Amino acid sequence: MAYNIYTVNNFSADFSRILDQDVQPRMEEFDNARLSKIHLGIFLSLVLLFLSIKIPVIIPVILIILYWAAVIYFYETQSKKYIPVLVQLVPFFSYFDISVLKLEDLTFSRLFPKTLATNSLLSFHFFDSFTGSINRVNVDISKFVYSYLQRSSALCVFSGIVIRVRTKDFAQGITVLRPRNSKYFSLSDLVNDNFEKVNVSDMVFASQYAIYSNNQEEAKRLINKKFIKCFSSFVKRVKSPVSYCAFCGNYMYMALTVDVGFSFTNIFKSVKDEKAFSKIYNTFAALIDVVNGLYVIEDDPNTPS
C-alpha cells in the first residue's frame, strides 16, 4: 500500500492517550455537576418531607417532583453537549445531531422488510450520526428506530445503529441478508420482487441469515468466505443479537441492535464509567477490523475466496 494502514493497535494507542489527556478531565466536570445536583436533591427532599409534618403533604411532594424534573432536564440537555467530547475518542469520526443517512437509502437497499403487516402505519426515526473514514474508506453511522402501529399498539421492529460503508465496487444488483432470529423476519417483499435465494457453503451462516439477491452472480462474489468470516466476527464482537446487511450501489449497509456508546441514560450512574468507554472502544475497534478486512487489506492470492 502507498500509505500506512491504520489498525486497531493504532486506535488503541490514540484512544488511551485522548481518554487520559482530553476526555476524562471534561467528564470529571460533568460528573461533579451531576453529583452536586443529586446530593442537593436528596437533602432538599429530606427537608421537605420533614416539613410535611407541619404543612399539607401535597406541597412538599410537588416541590420534590419539580426539583427532580429540573435535574433530569439538566442532565439530558448537558449530556447532549458532552457527546462531541466522547467522540474525540475516535479521532477519525465527527458527530452530527442530525442524520447523515436518509430513509430513501434504507428503503432502496431493501435492508429491512418493506411491509410487515396490512393496515399498519410504519414509523422511522433517525437520531445522532457519526461520519468519518477508516483508511480512506468512508463510513457513516446513524442511530435508527423502525416500528409500526397496529391495533393501537406500537411494535418496534428494529432499534440500534445503521452503518453505511462505501465499497470499492459498484453493485449492479441488490443483495440482502436478513436475520432468521428476528421476531419480525419476513422475505415476502423480496420474493414478490423476484429476488432469489443465494446458497452459501457455510451452513452455520446460512442457518443464521436468509440471503436473497436480484443478481445471483454478483451475490456469490460478494458473500464469499472472506465476507462471512469478517461479518460474523464483527457481529459477535459488538454483541448484536439481531443483525442485517445489504449491498446496494456503492455501499454496504449493516444494521445492528446495539448502541454505539455515546449516550447517557442514567442520571444516577457516573459518566466516567469504565464500561461506557470500553463499549465505545470495542465497537470502533471491531469496525476498524471489518473495514480493513473487507476493503483495505489485500487478499493473499493463494487464499481461496
Side-chain angles (χ1 to χ4, degrees):
M1 301 292 290
Y3 61 93
N4 293 326
I5 296 175
Y6 190 85
T7 66
V8 171
N9 288 336
N10 301 127
F11 175 55
S12 181
D14 287 342
F15 189 94
S16 298
R17 173 179 53 80
I18 297 169
L19 179 62
D20 292 339
Q21 295 180 3
D22 302 321
V23 174
Q24 282 281 27
R26 293 291 308 279
M27 301 314 292
E28 184 94 29
E29 298 172 5
F30 186 21
D31 215 43
N32 290 339
R34 178 189 66 86
L35 286 172
S36 66
K37 292 188 180 297
I38 289 175
H39 292 157
L40 179 59
I42 293 172
F43 174 75
L44 289 176
S45 297
L46 292 174
V47 171
L48 289 168
L49 288 174
F50 177 77
L51 291 175
S52 66
I53 300 172
K54 300 181 179 180
I55 61 176
V57 69
I58 189 65
I59 297 175
V61 169
I62 290 175
L63 291 175
I64 290 171
I65 292 173
L66 288 175
Y67 177 83
W68 285 107
V71 171
I72 292 172
Y73 177 77
F74 161 83
Y75 182 77
E76 290 177 347
T77 54
Q78 287 297 112
S79 63
K80 269 284 187 183
K81 296 179 182 178
Y82 277 86
I83 292 177
V85 176
L86 286 178
V87 175
Q88 293 179 54
L89 292 167
V90 190
F92 43 88
F93 270 79
S94 300
Y95 165 72
F96 297 91
D97 59 1
I98 58 174
S99 176
V100 294
L101 296 179
K102 297 179 180 179
L103 180 58
E104 292 78 12
D105 298 328
L106 302 189
T107 303
F108 189 69
S109 72
R110 312 301 292 271
L111 188 64
F112 300 107
K114 184 182 293 184
T115 180
L116 294 167
T118 57
N119 302 321
S120 63
L121 177 64
L122 299 180
S123 174
F124 304 88
H125 296 285
F126 287 100
F127 298 95
D128 302 332
S129 292
F130 311 89
T131 184
S133 65
I134 300 171
N135 292 309
R136 304 181 185 179
V137 177
N138 294 334
V139 180
D140 301 309
I141 304 172
S142 281
K143 295 182 180 180
F144 180 68
V145 175
Y146 166 30
S147 57
Y148 71 92
L149 301 175
Q150 188 177 34
R151 297 177 182 174
S152 302
S153 298
L155 303 176
C156 183
V157 178
F158 177 85
S159 178
I161 60 173
V162 174
I163 302 174
R164 181 177 65 183
V165 180
R166 187 173 181 87
T167 58
K168 284 183 176 181
D169 302 317
F170 183 88
Q172 300 292 334
I174 299 174
T175 299
V176 182
L177 288 75
R178 289 185 182 163
R180 297 186 184 276
N181 66 338
S182 171
K183 183 179 179 180
Y184 302 99
F185 177 73
S186 175
L187 297 170
S188 59
D189 60 315
L190 299 178
V191 174
N192 290 341
D193 287 343
N194 298 318
F195 279 63
E196 296 179 346
K197 181 180 178 181
V198 178
N199 295 311
V200 294
S201 59
D202 190 315
M203 300 307 296
V204 174
F205 194 77
S207 70
Q208 296 170 335
Y209 299 95
I211 310 168
Y212 277 71
S213 179
N214 56 9
N215 188 323
Q216 282 286 314
E217 183 178 345
E218 183 175 67
K220 290 176 181 178
R221 176 178 58 81
L222 291 169
I223 314 301
N224 55 28
K225 291 182 179 180
K226 178 181 179 180
F227 168 80
I228 292 173
K229 180 181 178 181
C230 288
F231 182 74
S232 298
S233 174
F234 178 58
V235 167
K236 183 177 180 179
R237 287 173 64 182
V238 299
K239 299 179 180 179
S240 173
V242 180
S243 308
Y244 299 75
C245 184
F247 291 88
C248 177
N250 284 118
Y251 297 102
M252 174 181 70
Y253 296 88
M254 296 183 289
L256 312 168
T257 48
V258 297
D259 180 22
V260 74
F262 300 113
S263 59
F264 308 91
T265 56
N266 188 348
I267 189 173
F268 296 103
K269 189 174 182 180
S270 173
V271 297
K272 300 185 299 177
D273 182 31
E274 290 297 327
K275 289 183 179 179
F277 297 134
S278 295
K279 186 176 183 62
I280 296 170
Y281 173 80
N282 291 336
T283 299
F284 282 91
L287 183 59
I288 290 170
D289 274 344
V290 74
V291 170
N292 283 349
L294 290 175
Y295 301 115
V296 178
I297 299 173
E298 299 295 335
D299 292 328
D300 183 337
N302 297 316
T303 303
S305 61

